[in-house]
């Protein structure tokens, strides 16, 4: 994506707009080119900014999302601004947080959506492992929560239950 923007001669414009919106981990000096990171034990590789360091659960989530037809690009953490919470990357062209939940409690999904919203992501990508609830219970809870006025930034949730992705829009 960054290479295409450069080819069209608009990367500097995009970078300036990103800075104006306080999206410092999109700036060119942090991205520093493209690279790939492999999901351990598989041939799958995810695309990332050279300085991005996605963790294995995030790469595994990226694999599931890409298999379902989504695009994932990991961005680096911004360590230049102290205390800044970073999003993890760009999913389908939108700022995204990626969370894997080990807890069996349904309320943990809401906690992760809240965190993603606080970090100004547009998309929360949430994968649950070992749930004690059904997929339909979780989707209903997410839809109810997204309908509340409290959520300001999250516009959609990509919810992964097992290996199935459910796209829930606000």
């Amino acid at each position: 994506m960054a290479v295409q923007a450069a080819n069209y001669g608009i990367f500097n414009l995009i970078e300036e707009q990103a800075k104006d919106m306080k999206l410092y981990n999109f700036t060119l000096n942090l991205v520093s080119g493209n690279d790939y990171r492999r999901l351990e034990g598989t041939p799958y590789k995810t695309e990332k900014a050279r300085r991005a360091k996605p963790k294995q659960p995030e790469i595994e989530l990226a694999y599931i999302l890409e298999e379902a037809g989504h695009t994932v690009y990991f961005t680096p953490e911004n360590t230049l601004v102290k205390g800044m919470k970073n999003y993890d990357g760009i999913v389908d062209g939108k700022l995204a947080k990626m969370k894997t939940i080990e807890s069996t409690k349904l309320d943990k999904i809401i906690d992760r959506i809240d965190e993603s919203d606080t970090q100004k992501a547009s998309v929360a990508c949430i994968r649950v492992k070992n749930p004690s609830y059904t997929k339909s219970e979780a989707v209903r809870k997410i839809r109810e929560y997204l309908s509340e006025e409290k959520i300001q930034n999250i516009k959609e949730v990509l919810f992964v239950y097992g290996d199935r992705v459910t796209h829930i829009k606000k």
Side-chain angles (χ1 to χ4, degrees):
M1 190 167 37
V3 172
Q4 289 173 332
N7 288 338
Y8 287 110
I10 60 171
F11 192 91
N12 290 341
L13 176 65
I14 294 170
E15 184 178 24
E16 281 304 311
Q17 288 178 343
K19 286 179 186 177
D20 289 345
M21 294 185 309
K22 310 269 190 272
L23 303 174
Y24 298 110
N25 57 338
F26 184 75
T27 60
L28 185 59
N29 65 332
L30 284 172
V31 173
S32 186
N34 286 348
D35 199 1
Y36 295 91
R37 177 146 305 161
R38 186 175 302 281
L39 178 59
E40 290 176 5
T42 74
Y44 172 74
K45 295 185 295 188
T46 187
E47 188 175 8
K48 67 179 193 68
R50 183 165 287 133
R51 295 185 182 173
K53 297 175 183 165
K55 297 173 181 71
Q56 286 297 306
E58 293 166 340
I59 297 170
E60 191 173 13
L61 179 52
Y63 172 71
I64 294 167
L65 292 173
E66 287 185 358
E67 286 290 303
H70 299 279
T71 60
V72 178
Y73 181 80
F74 286 101
T75 56
E77 282 191 36
N78 182 354
T79 56
L80 301 175
V81 179
K82 187 175 180 174
M84 178 182 176
K85 296 290 186 181
N86 294 281
Y87 50 88
D88 296 312
I90 300 167
V91 174
D92 299 334
K94 300 168 194 146
L95 303 178
K97 282 300 290 179
M98 302 179 83
K99 308 281 186 179
T100 297
I101 302 171
E102 300 282 342
S103 172
T104 60
K105 296 179 182 173
L106 186 55
D107 286 340
K108 287 295 180 186
I109 295 172
I110 302 308
D111 293 344
R112 297 303 171 263
I113 293 172
D114 252 352
E115 285 175 20
S116 300
D117 191 63
T118 300
Q119 294 169 335
K120 304 205 182 314
S122 299
V123 180
C125 304
I126 299 174
R127 179 179 184 213
V128 294
K129 289 186 167 185
N130 310 316
S132 62
Y133 43 84
T134 67
K135 177 182 168 186
S136 60
E137 288 173 319
V139 169
R140 184 173 43 253
K141 180 92 169 174
I142 293 167
R143 282 197 173 115
E144 287 171 7
Y145 193 67
L146 289 179
S147 69
E148 294 179 11
E149 302 264 333
K150 180 181 178 186
I151 299 297
Q152 298 296 312
N153 300 297
I154 295 295
K155 304 293 184 239
E156 55 195 287
V157 174
L158 295 175
F159 177 63
V160 179
Y161 189 96
D163 61 353
R164 297 269 198 230
V165 179
T166 302
H167 191 169
I168 306 164
K169 291 190 175 190
K170 186 172 180 180

